[in-house]
Amino acid sequence: MSNLTNTLQQLREEHKQAQHQVEKLQSAISVIEDLVGQNGSIPAQNSARPGRAISAAARKRMAAAQRARWAKVRKESHPAAGKGMSTAPAKHTMSAAARRKIAVAQRARWAKLKKAA
């Protein structure tokens, strides 16, 4: 009988140790879950705060505000030349003589390529 009592006592001791080990593992898991939940890289499974729902009207207001911010940035990065000046860049037109010179040079390049081939 004493043999069974000793065995039972050993089993109870091992059971206590196993429970203590499980508690340690659970606390380690909860610490890691908290860390992962804080930086947001991987969403925690038991998140207390679900993703927020935004109405269509709110999304439109947000989009309009963002467009206004970008318009302001673009406006500041390209300041107008001065008062009374147009904001569109001046168009540069080529004279007819310049166009003729370019055309002659291009024809010469093509003739050289055709002759080489």
mmCIF file of all heavy atoms in Angstrom, residues 2 36 39 44 51 55-56 69-70 74 78-79 81 85 96 104 117:
data_model
loop_
_atom_site.group_PDB
_atom_site.id
_atom_site.type_symbol
_atom_site.label_atom_id
_atom_site.label_comp_id
_atom_site.label_asym_id
_atom_site.label_seq_id
_atom_site.Cartn_x
_atom_site.Cartn_y
_atom_site.Cartn_z
ATOM 1 N N SER A 2 1.944 1.223 0.746
ATOM 2 C CA SER A 2 2.799 2.405 0.830
ATOM 3 C C SER A 2 3.401 2.731 -0.541
ATOM 4 O O SER A 2 3.674 3.885 -0.845
ATOM 5 C CB SER A 2 3.895 2.204 1.870
ATOM 6 O OG SER A 2 4.808 1.237 1.427
ATOM 7 N N VAL A 36 2.975 42.459 -29.724
ATOM 8 C CA VAL A 36 2.573 42.435 -31.127
ATOM 9 C C VAL A 36 1.390 43.367 -31.340
ATOM 10 O O VAL A 36 1.336 44.089 -32.324
ATOM 11 C CB VAL A 36 2.224 40.994 -31.575
ATOM 12 C CG1 VAL A 36 1.551 40.990 -32.926
ATOM 13 C CG2 VAL A 36 3.481 40.158 -31.619
ATOM 14 N N ASN A 39 2.616 47.380 -31.524
ATOM 15 C CA ASN A 39 3.243 47.988 -32.702
ATOM 16 C C ASN A 39 2.397 47.837 -33.950
ATOM 17 O O ASN A 39 2.678 48.436 -34.964
ATOM 18 C CB ASN A 39 4.664 47.464 -32.921
ATOM 19 C CG ASN A 39 4.705 46.054 -33.456
ATOM 20 O OD1 ASN A 39 3.687 45.470 -33.778
ATOM 21 N ND2 ASN A 39 5.894 45.509 -33.566
ATOM 22 N N ALA A 44 -3.616 41.586 -32.947
ATOM 23 C CA ALA A 44 -3.840 40.629 -31.870
ATOM 24 C C ALA A 44 -5.184 39.945 -32.084
ATOM 25 O O ALA A 44 -6.148 40.555 -32.549
ATOM 26 C CB ALA A 44 -3.811 41.339 -30.523
ATOM 27 N N GLY A 51 -11.858 47.408 -35.691
ATOM 28 C CA GLY A 51 -11.629 48.459 -36.670
ATOM 29 C C GLY A 51 -12.824 49.389 -36.725
ATOM 30 O O GLY A 51 -13.978 48.951 -36.629
ATOM 31 N N SER A 55 -18.325 56.410 -42.145
ATOM 32 C CA SER A 55 -19.428 56.587 -43.085
ATOM 33 C C SER A 55 -18.906 57.103 -44.422
ATOM 34 O O SER A 55 -17.813 57.657 -44.515
ATOM 35 C CB SER A 55 -20.452 57.576 -42.518
ATOM 36 O OG SER A 55 -19.895 58.876 -42.471
ATOM 37 N N ALA A 56 -19.724 56.934 -45.442
ATOM 38 C CA ALA A 56 -19.347 57.391 -46.777
ATOM 39 C C ALA A 56 -19.174 58.908 -46.793
ATOM 40 O O ALA A 56 -18.265 59.435 -47.440
ATOM 41 C CB ALA A 56 -20.399 56.965 -47.801
ATOM 42 N N ARG A 69 -5.251 69.760 -49.214
ATOM 43 C CA ARG A 69 -3.869 69.815 -48.705
ATOM 44 C C ARG A 69 -2.875 69.660 -49.850
ATOM 45 O O ARG A 69 -1.891 70.391 -49.933
ATOM 46 C CB ARG A 69 -3.643 68.740 -47.641
ATOM 47 C CG ARG A 69 -4.275 69.080 -46.303
ATOM 48 C CD ARG A 69 -3.816 68.136 -45.217
ATOM 49 N NE ARG A 69 -4.359 66.796 -45.358
ATOM 50 C CZ ARG A 69 -5.530 66.394 -44.876
ATOM 51 N NH1 ARG A 69 -6.297 67.236 -44.220
ATOM 52 N NH2 ARG A 69 -5.926 65.164 -45.039
ATOM 53 N N TRP A 70 -3.132 68.716 -50.759
ATOM 54 C CA TRP A 70 -2.220 68.513 -51.877
ATOM 55 C C TRP A 70 -2.220 69.721 -52.808
ATOM 56 O O TRP A 70 -1.183 70.110 -53.347
ATOM 57 C CB TRP A 70 -2.581 67.239 -52.654
ATOM 58 C CG TRP A 70 -1.958 66.041 -52.045
ATOM 59 C CD1 TRP A 70 -2.582 65.034 -51.385
ATOM 60 C CD2 TRP A 70 -0.566 65.720 -52.031
ATOM 61 N NE1 TRP A 70 -1.665 64.112 -50.950
ATOM 62 C CE2 TRP A 70 -0.419 64.508 -51.335
ATOM 63 C CE3 TRP A 70 0.574 66.331 -52.520
ATOM 64 C CZ2 TRP A 70 0.803 63.902 -51.128
ATOM 65 C CZ3 TRP A 70 1.796 65.735 -52.313
ATOM 66 C CH2 TRP A 70 1.898 64.532 -51.624
ATOM 67 N N ARG A 74 1.085 71.850 -53.858
ATOM 68 C CA ARG A 74 1.457 72.099 -55.254
ATOM 69 C C ARG A 74 1.531 73.593 -55.545
ATOM 70 O O ARG A 74 2.408 74.051 -56.269
ATOM 71 C CB ARG A 74 0.452 71.434 -56.192
ATOM 72 C CG ARG A 74 0.622 69.945 -56.272
ATOM 73 C CD ARG A 74 -0.223 69.353 -57.386
ATOM 74 N NE ARG A 74 -0.463 67.972 -57.116
ATOM 75 C CZ ARG A 74 -1.586 67.466 -56.643
ATOM 76 N NH1 ARG A 74 -2.621 68.243 -56.423
ATOM 77 N NH2 ARG A 74 -1.703 66.179 -56.409
ATOM 78 N N HIS A 78 5.142 75.745 -56.773
ATOM 79 C CA HIS A 78 5.242 76.434 -58.056
ATOM 80 C C HIS A 78 4.672 77.846 -57.906
ATOM 81 O O HIS A 78 3.558 78.113 -58.347
ATOM 82 C CB HIS A 78 4.455 75.697 -59.151
ATOM 83 C CG HIS A 78 4.959 74.314 -59.393
ATOM 84 N ND1 HIS A 78 6.193 74.071 -59.930
ATOM 85 C CD2 HIS A 78 4.400 73.104 -59.166
ATOM 86 C CE1 HIS A 78 6.367 72.767 -60.024
ATOM 87 N NE2 HIS A 78 5.302 72.155 -59.562
ATOM 88 N N PRO A 79 5.424 78.772 -57.316
ATOM 89 C CA PRO A 79 4.889 80.123 -57.138
ATOM 90 C C PRO A 79 4.751 80.849 -58.474
ATOM 91 O O PRO A 79 5.492 80.588 -59.420
ATOM 92 C CB PRO A 79 5.931 80.801 -56.248
ATOM 93 C CG PRO A 79 7.184 80.047 -56.483
ATOM 94 C CD PRO A 79 6.766 78.631 -56.796
ATOM 95 N N ALA A 81 5.010 83.824 -61.250
ATOM 96 C CA ALA A 81 6.165 84.659 -61.586
ATOM 97 C C ALA A 81 6.009 86.078 -61.029
ATOM 98 O O ALA A 81 6.965 86.718 -60.645
ATOM 99 C CB ALA A 81 6.355 84.703 -63.093
ATOM 100 N N MET A 85 0.942 88.229 -64.106
ATOM 101 C CA MET A 85 1.501 87.220 -65.007
ATOM 102 C C MET A 85 0.592 85.998 -65.004
ATOM 103 O O MET A 85 -0.007 85.648 -64.002
ATOM 104 C CB MET A 85 2.906 86.811 -64.556
ATOM 105 C CG MET A 85 3.922 87.938 -64.597
ATOM 106 S SD MET A 85 4.325 88.417 -66.271
ATOM 107 C CE MET A 85 5.301 87.023 -66.758
ATOM 108 N N ALA A 96 10.563 79.422 -88.446
ATOM 109 C CA ALA A 96 10.519 78.567 -89.635
ATOM 110 C C ALA A 96 11.932 78.205 -90.083
ATOM 111 O O ALA A 96 12.188 77.057 -90.508
ATOM 112 C CB ALA A 96 9.764 79.272 -90.752
ATOM 113 N N VAL A 104 16.622 69.568 -92.383
ATOM 114 C CA VAL A 104 17.752 69.246 -93.264
ATOM 115 C C VAL A 104 18.728 68.321 -92.548
ATOM 116 O O VAL A 104 19.201 67.319 -93.115
ATOM 117 C CB VAL A 104 18.451 70.548 -93.747
ATOM 118 C CG1 VAL A 104 19.779 70.241 -94.411
ATOM 119 C CG2 VAL A 104 17.533 71.310 -94.694
ATOM 120 N N ALA A 117 23.380 51.000 -94.537
ATOM 121 C CA ALA A 117 22.671 49.721 -94.583
ATOM 122 C C ALA A 117 22.645 49.156 -95.953
ATOM 123 O O ALA A 117 23.283 48.431 -96.515
ATOM 124 C CB ALA A 117 21.215 49.922 -94.161
#
